Amino acid sequence: MILLGVSGSIAAYKSVELLRLFLKAGQDVRVIMTQAATRFVGPLTFQALSGHPVLADSLDPQGWPPVPVRLDRRPSSINASEGGQMAHLDLPEKASALVLAPATAQLLSQLACGAAGDIVSASILAMPRSPAGRLKAPVLIAPAMHEAMWLHPATRANVITLKKFGYQFIGPERGPLGRADDQGLGRMTDPKAIASIVLKAL
Ligand SMILES: Cc1cc2nc3c(=O)[nH]c(=O)nc-3n(C[C@H](O)[C@H](O)[C@H](O)COP(=O)(O)O)c2cc1C
């Protein structure tokens, strides 16, 4: 299963195409979104195409079905398959890759300091690692932002930190940016190119 994280960039509409490419390649895809991302593309679009509920809130009870009440058993003896799930832990455990596309400057900054305030950053933080700290499944990040944001020293430092965490970057590219007439480095890599890199990394 590919876990596709979407954050609040003007490029979020391109993630719909990315999802379709993964599905066309026979992949099962689960989509998680930041609250900001839901203002750019409706979760319903991703839900209808992926055939799975979309989580955009780490506290959403949908992502955390209740453990059936059994007075004769201690909670610690109940396993996830019986209903004690938590989406921000279960989805990363099941993912053969996590793809964050588009990745905003805001999300890169959250990830660089280990924040987990939304379902996307919490899931990335929870991606399983070996005892030596190696990621068990690849985390691929496709940033999208204005050139000024990409070149800011804070973003540069965040990218260096995130590479040290083992995350792989795809792009960004140089080209037209979200605001009319703006050009520069910061455009999200084309979904076809992202899909091809991710499918090879699986
Ligand atoms: C129209 C519009 C387009 C935006 N595009 C981007 C973008 O491409 N990259 C980015 O880093 N922020 C962009 N932003 C700002 C983010 O939406 C904002 O920082 C938001 O808090 C990001 O939240 P998230 O990282 O939790 O999804 C844009 C804002 C607006 C209003």
Side-chain angles (χ1 to χ4, degrees), residues 72-179:
D72 57 326
R73 291 176 64 189
R74 281 197 305 274
S76 58
S77 70
I78 299 169
N79 65 42
S81 63
E82 293 177 87
Q85 300 103 324
M86 290 192 201
H88 71 283
L89 303 178
D90 296 334
L91 292 174
E93 268 169 20
K94 289 177 189 146
S96 46
L98 188 151
V99 184
L100 174 57
T104 57
Q106 155 76 11
L107 208 63
L108 296 184
S109 126
Q110 279 180 229
L111 295 176
C113 64
D118 61 85
I119 184 71
V120 178
S121 54
S123 300
I124 294 176
L125 197 66
M127 281 300 278
R129 290 177 184 264
S130 71
R134 251 184 100 84
L135 280 165
K136 291 189 177 168
V139 173
L140 302 110
I141 298 179
M145 65 197 71
H146 194 273
E147 185 176 72
M149 297 168 90
W150 178 249
L151 294 180
H152 191 283
T155 308
R156 309 277 13 98
N158 290 335
V159 171
I160 290 169
T161 302
L162 295 174
K163 285 182 179 169
K164 282 188 196 149
F165 291 169
Y167 305 150
Q168 298 167 47
F169 276 76
I170 305 174
E173 314 292 329
R174 196 169 284 283
L177 300 173
R179 200 172 54 177

